[in-house]
Amino acid sequence: MLYTTVHTPVLCRFWLMDCQNIGEASKMATDLYREAILVPFMSKFVVFAKRHEPTEARLRVFCMTDDKVDKTLESQEHFTEIARSRDVEVTTVYRFRSSSQ
């Protein structure tokens, strides 16, 4: 698939699909639309840990869009940062449900 920006009175972007099978055009267009509406953002994943007992600890993982680790609740509760990813592009948000729901 290719895209092009066309200069018209209305700013828009047109996506061109090379669809060999006309029966797949609707599915391809839907997939293309779902990808096009996602707005990517840069983020880091940060892992915090706090040991409660010699054999037990609590881990918390965050997707952070800024570098303000010192402003997190974990730093106020004396958690230790144990890992940090490089900047990654995030385009999809997954919602997880707890097993109690």
Side-chain angles (χ1 to χ4, degrees), residues 46-52 57-61 74 77-83:
V46 181
V47 180
F48 295 96
K50 184 175 183 181
R51 192 172 292 280
H52 291 283
R58 181 170 291 169
L59 291 177
R60 294 184 183 173
V61 180
E74 284 64 33
E77 293 180 351
H78 307 293
F79 276 71
T80 303
E81 180 183 324
I82 60 170

Side-chain angles (χ1 to χ4, degrees), residues 92-98 101:
T92 305
V93 176
Y94 292 98
R95 296 176 192 256
F96 295 99
R97 294 159 83 188
S98 69
Q101 292 182 341

Side-chain angles (χ1 to χ4, degrees), residues 35-72:
E35 284 190 40
I37 63 172
L38 297 174
V39 178
F41 57 93
M42 298 306 288
S43 182
K44 285 185 172 104
F45 288 90
V46 181
V47 180
F48 295 96
K50 184 175 183 181
R51 192 172 292 280
H52 291 283
E53 295 188 25
T55 58
E56 291 184 19
R58 181 170 291 169
L59 291 177
R60 294 184 183 173
V61 180
F62 282 83
C63 178
M64 300 183 71
T65 56
D66 60 27
D67 290 327
K68 302 206 170 30
V69 174
D70 57 321
K71 304 236 183 215
T72 63

Side-chain angles (χ1 to χ4, degrees), residues 1 8 10-12 15 21-23 32 44 53-55 57 59 64 66-67 73 75 77 82 90 92 95:
M1 286 184 247
T8 64
V10 178
L11 181 61
C12 60
W15 293 82
N21 183 355
I22 195 70
L32 177 62
K44 285 185 172 104
E53 295 188 25
T55 58
L59 291 177
M64 300 183 71
D66 60 27
D67 290 327
L73 179 62
S75 65
E77 293 180 351
I82 60 170
V90 179
T92 305
R95 296 176 192 256

